[in-house]
Amino acid sequence: MQPFIFNSLPGRVIFGRGTLSQVASEIENLGCSKALVLTGPSQAATGEALRADLGNAAVGLYSNARMHTPVNVTEEAVELARTLGAGCVVAIGGGSTVGLAKAIALRTDFPQIVIPTTYSGSEATTIVGQTENGIKTTQKTLKVLPEVIIYDVDLTLTLPTQLTMTSGINAMAHAIEALYAVDSNPITDMVAEQGIARLACALPILSKDPHNSEARSDALYGAWACAYCVGIVSLALHHKLCHTLGGTLNLPHSETHTVILPYAVVYNTPYAVDAMAKVARILGSTSAAQGIYDLARTLGAPSSLRELGAKEEDLERVADVAMTKTYPNPGPLDRGKILSLLKDAYEGKRPA
């Protein structure tokens, strides 16, 4: 057994069906009496229904969470929370809404209750990403880790099929990077493998039967397992490129992760042979990168940056931004190789 360091994360996780009914009691358990409910524009009605259910425990609703967590949106939400006298936030939605809750907590230390409706996994990590002036930056701090996560499988039954697929592969990316992280350990490796396996089994079922509650439960559990791992260990090239593409080109989050993942795996496979062999085995493929790519294509997910609206002339700038800050990665960071990776992802070629 190799020596390792394992830092467990604090927090309370409630998983099941119908667990949305426990929000009020969790607000009380946190010692709060005034919660601001957060959602994105497309889930404003869901947020309003939750606010109504909470009665006097909710002081208002902010429904303008945006992709990549723009700083000006966060500042607007913080101002509303303070004006209304809120003492905590309740976020219900996908990664954009959860990201807003974390950005608010970073500025205010408000306790958070988050209720994910996708598989983005942000709720289980100590990472917050924020975008300002076209640049997305991330930081890792316990200040943004939610105090309570409520997973309600029922809330994912109506998740659109396309978003289910890309959000699920986005979740798998968390675990794959955890397997080759510089600070990986046997505990996160075990959980990561289980998360990838649950999602790899559930997503094909959901692509044909999106209301399959057992597969929805497996996918949601798998997403939590994958995110839990990346909340403990370090991020590497895949996440850096996706954050850069999102912040610089405003590309959609889960779709960008889906497209980039097989090419980031190709880049790092020579330096993480054992980790990638585990992924290939789980996916039933001779190659981790090809297994990921083929799974995404089978699920009807996008396979190229061109499909997402990127322009080839933007790739040089993305490569430059990706090289502006050092970060741990199995393979040495080389601008030319990163640019080649981006060009392959732009074309959507099947990895060699």
Side-chain angles (χ1 to χ4, degrees), residues 91-179:
I92 181 166
S96 298
T97 303
V98 176
L100 174 61
K102 294 166 79 170
I104 292 172
L106 182 66
R107 291 162 172 77
T108 64
D109 282 329
F110 282 177
Q112 306 169 69
I113 298 172
V114 297
I115 308 146
T117 58
T118 70
Y119 307 132
S120 74
S122 175
E123 69 282 350
T125 78
T126 57
I127 301 159
V128 60
Q130 302 179 88
T131 302
E132 188 172 25
N133 300 322
I135 300 295
K136 186 170 184 177
T137 58
T138 61
Q139 61 178 296
K140 195 168 187 176
T141 169
L142 279 170
K143 286 184 68 174
V144 305
L145 186 69
E147 281 72 14
V148 181
I149 308 170
I150 296 178
Y151 289 108
D152 190 333
V153 176
D154 292 341
L155 295 177
T156 66
L157 294 176
T158 56
L159 187 65
T161 303
Q162 180 76 355
L163 182 54
T164 295
M165 302 306 126
T166 57
S167 184
I169 295 174
N170 176 16
M172 292 172 66
H174 301 328
I176 289 169
E177 287 232 299
L179 286 172

Side-chain angles (χ1 to χ4, degrees), residues 25 39 56 59 74 88 164 175 193 228-229 280 300:
S25 61
T39 71
N56 293 334
V59 293
T74 301
C88 65
T164 295
E193 290 182 61
Y228 174 78
C229 297

